Amino acid sequence: MKAPRIMIAAGKSGSGKTMITCGILRALQKLGKTPVAFKCGPDYIDPMFHERVVKTSSRNLDPYFTDEEMTRYLFGEGSKEGDLSVFEGVMGYYDGLGGISTKGSAYDLARTTKTPVILVVDARGMSVSALAWIRGIMEYRKDSQIAGVIFNRMSKMLYQELSLLTEQELGIACIGYVPEIPEGHLESRHLGLVLPDEVQNLSGQVDHLAEVLLESLDFEKLLDIAYASEDLTCDEPEDLKEILNSKTAEEIRRAKPVIAVAKDEAFCFIYRDNLNLLSRLGAELIPFSPLHDRKLPENVDGLLLYGGYPELYARELSENKEMRDSVRNALQNGISCLAECGGYMYLSESLEDMHGNSYEMAGAVKGNVYRTEHLRRFGYIELTADKEDVLGSNCGPIRSHEFHYFDSTDCGNSFHAVKPLRKRSWDCIHATKNMIAGFPHLYYYACPKLALEFLKTCVKGRESGQKNWKKEEPV
């Protein structure tokens, strides 16, 4: 397929990738394009900026979670929603697995998808030295994919002189510059950037940035690079096709299991493709709010509790006792459940907030969750079941990741996690035949069989008459 595309990447975190990506997306909209966005890696927050601020479709692509064929397929599917794709890189361009490999890096994704890269250079305090820095990034890998450069935090006067040197000496296209914009910086908190809804007048800031970029960037050059992208084969992988067309999948589609999905200010870390795969397998997804609703939706077969910031809303979550009771009772009655990180914290016996105050939670799994001062078990992991006959035990190794400052007095021991390229490993996850609850975040396309097995338990649970299904009385 032909899919025009570019990646906005940088040599380090904090170079302005997210705001510049949002500004470029909005500028492309003003030019009459329909761009779609992709975020490299497992980050949840940057796609929120793309979707909520720029109002464009955004998905994650992670070359650690998925092999090259699956990665290209997922890109191909997502790219159909627009006429131009804009990738946002992650961390430093070559920074990947374990901090010692390019696997899973922005470079790895650009190489896998043959995507030309526009390198953002934070040029504050640099002039000609920036050229040496760019050359080093370009030449570190022969197939670097780098096709252009944007100088961030640079004056127009300096850019006019430096761009000529850059193109003459490095043979790379200069796309433009971004002047210092005081309101164009995003604040961070313990899990990354603050959420889009928390930034005052963010949409107005992005609109202003887009107007600046339309003046300071050469969008004709940028679009020429995007439309010169190499054609890409994006076929559906055979193992995915086998799962989607399996007898089990057909049975699930006939049953149409209903899944309640926690979604509010406290639970917002959701991979769009996770919901997509569940829908393709026949699930009906119903959002609910552990913060604002009083009980689970009626007649649901499964429960999804994704991550987010429950620690910021611990008091409110605890005060909503009706919902806590509803969730705990549903789990005690055997409802199927996948709970990750913040969702798992909510299922625990208690949770500390950011000030060390402890609040009662659902009490559906053992353990008291407490705040720590440092990242705990940060990064990619591979999960293997330590117990037989628990959900996911027959799915093989499951690639996932952890990213949290909180810990628990009982993290579970149903699975064993190993950090790739490192010697560190640990036990984790509370699991039963129909539940997985733990700190690891799951990306279902990394192991589609797990999504299939989860929905299978949902259907089986309904047939056995458990949980909160209300049986209709005959008329």
Side-chain angles (χ1 to χ4, degrees):
M1 62 181 292
K2 188 164 186 63
R5 58 197 182 274
I6 55 167
M7 175 185 287
I8 308 300
K12 62 176 182 176
S13 296
S15 297
K17 290 191 301 292
T18 299
M19 280 299 281
I20 290 175
T21 300
C22 287
I24 287 174
L25 287 166
R26 179 65 59 82
L28 288 169
Q29 290 172 338
K30 290 176 180 288
L31 292 172
K33 302 295 181 181
T34 306
V36 295
F38 295 89
K39 173 63 182 179
C40 176
D43 180 82
Y44 292 97
I45 297 177
D46 289 350
M48 292 185 199
F49 279 86
H50 305 156
E51 291 195 329
R52 297 185 190 180
V53 183
V54 188
K55 310 298 183 185
T56 188
S57 166
S58 186
R59 288 177 164 84
N60 293 77
L61 288 175
D62 192 309
Y64 169 72
F65 284 156
T66 54
D67 63 22
E68 293 189 2
E69 185 181 24
M70 181 71 84
T71 301
R72 287 190 289 266
Y73 166 72
L74 292 171
F75 163 66
E77 291 299 294
S79 69
K80 294 175 183 177
E81 297 186 23
D83 53 21
L84 174 68
S85 297
V86 179
F87 294 48
E88 181 182 341
V90 60
M91 299 188 297
Y93 184 53
Y94 292 108
D95 299 338
L97 205 58
I100 55 174
S101 169
T102 61
K103 178 65 179 173
S105 65
Y107 156 75
D108 193 20
L109 179 61
R111 180 193 58 79
T112 297
T113 57
K114 302 177 182 178
T115 298
V117 175
I118 308 299
L119 187 68
V120 174
V121 178
D122 185 356
R124 185 179 184 183
M126 284 199 296
S127 59
V128 179
S129 295
L131 276 66
W133 189 87
I134 294 167
R135 184 185 294 278
I137 295 286
M138 290 175 59
E139 295 182 357
Y140 182 68
R141 288 288 187 269
K142 291 182 179 179
D143 59 347
S144 72
Q145 311 294 322
I146 295 172
V149 62
I150 292 173
F151 292 96
N152 190 23
R153 302 203 292 178
M154 178 177 280
S155 70
K156 180 178 181 179
M157 183 179 298
L158 179 57
Y159 174 74
Q160 289 174 336
E161 297 174 331
L162 205 61
S163 60
L164 295 174
L165 278 177
T166 303
E167 293 187 339
Q168 289 171 2
E169 296 189 15
L170 302 184
I172 189 173
C174 282
I175 306 301
Y177 69 98
V178 183
E180 185 78 50
I181 304 175
E183 66 273 21
H185 301 288
L186 296 172
E187 296 180 14
S188 296
R189 67 154 57 95
H190 52 287
L191 294 184
L193 295 175
V194 295
L195 299 180
D197 295 340
E198 299 175 85
V199 183
Q200 187 175 6
N201 191 31
L202 180 56
S203 183
Q205 289 185 41
V206 172
D207 273 333
H208 173 63
L209 176 58
E211 293 297 336
V212 171
L213 296 185
L214 285 168
E215 293 294 326
S216 66
L217 300 187
D218 187 334
F219 276 87
E220 186 175 345
K221 275 187 184 179
L222 185 145
L223 289 171
D224 284 345
I225 291 171
Y227 281 94
S229 301
E230 194 174 332
D231 290 357
L232 202 63
T233 301
C234 303
D235 295 333
E236 185 175 61
E238 286 300 321
D239 55 349
L240 176 61
K241 193 180 299 184
E242 184 178 333
I243 286 172
L244 292 171
N245 297 329
S246 66
K247 181 180 178 181
T248 300
E250 291 175 4
E251 292 170 349
I252 291 170
R253 291 190 188 98
R254 285 196 296 269
K256 297 180 181 178
V258 181
I259 312 299
V261 183
K263 194 172 185 182
D264 57 23
E265 303 95 308
F267 303 98
C268 52
F269 290 174
I270 300 172
Y271 290 129
R272 184 176 175 185
D273 278 327
N274 280 4
L275 303 183
N276 166 271
L277 182 54
L278 294 176
S279 296
R280 293 181 70 185
L281 287 167
E284 178 185 352
L285 306 175
I286 300 179
F288 78 100
S289 170
L291 267 175
H292 306 297
D293 297 334
R294 293 301 170 190
K295 61 179 181 178
L296 287 173
E298 293 181 353
N299 295 345
V300 295
D301 305 294
L303 175 61
L304 289 179
L305 287 163
Y306 288 119
Y309 287 114
E311 63 271 22
L312 301 183
Y313 302 92
R315 179 177 60 82
E316 293 90 336
L317 290 168
S318 184
E319 289 176 350
N320 191 352
K321 186 175 184 301
E322 291 176 78
M323 176 57 79
R324 290 193 290 112
D325 291 344
S326 177
V327 169
R328 183 179 62 255
N329 292 337
L331 286 165
Q332 289 175 346
N333 289 332
I335 194 173
S336 296
C337 177
L338 293 178
E340 307 175 1
C341 202
Y344 155 65
M345 290 158 63
Y346 177 68
L347 293 184
S348 298
E349 295 173 80
S350 68
L351 168 63
E352 280 188 3
D353 67 7
M354 295 299 293
H355 307 290
N357 303 308
S358 185
Y359 293 93
E360 188 175 356
M361 290 291 116
V365 297
K366 293 181 179 179
N368 298 293
V369 177
Y370 57 94
R371 182 173 178 264
T372 72
E373 296 298 323
H374 305 285
L375 275 174
R376 311 293 292 179
R377 300 183 294 279
F378 161 65
Y380 291 119
I381 55 174
E382 191 169 272
L383 296 169
T384 306
D386 272 350
K387 295 184 178 180
E388 296 180 359
D389 299 325
V390 298
L391 181 58
S393 60
N394 64 345
C395 294
I398 302 171
R399 291 185 170 187
S400 59
H401 78 101
E402 290 194 26
F403 192 94
H404 52 94
Y405 280 78
F406 286 72
D407 210 337
S408 174
T409 57
D410 187 348
C411 292
N413 58 6
S414 298
F415 283 76
H416 191 68
V418 177
K419 284 189 71 67
L421 306 183
R422 297 293 187 182
K423 295 180 179 179
R424 193 178 177 198
S425 66
W426 58 89
D427 291 331
C428 58
I429 296 179
H430 298 268
T432 65
K433 290 183 178 181
N434 55 354
M435 180 187 77
I436 287 178
F439 278 114
H441 291 280
L442 305 172
Y443 181 72
Y444 301 164
Y445 277 101
C447 184
K449 189 176 180 182
L450 177 62
L452 184 77
E453 291 296 315
F454 168 64
L455 294 180
K456 181 179 175 181
T457 66
C458 293
V459 173
K460 190 174 181 180
R462 180 200 296 179
E463 292 171 349
S464 67
Q466 45 92 326
K467 61 188 165 21
N468 62 338
W469 259 85
K470 288 186 176 180
K471 299 197 178 198
E472 300 293 336
E473 296 294 331
V475 178

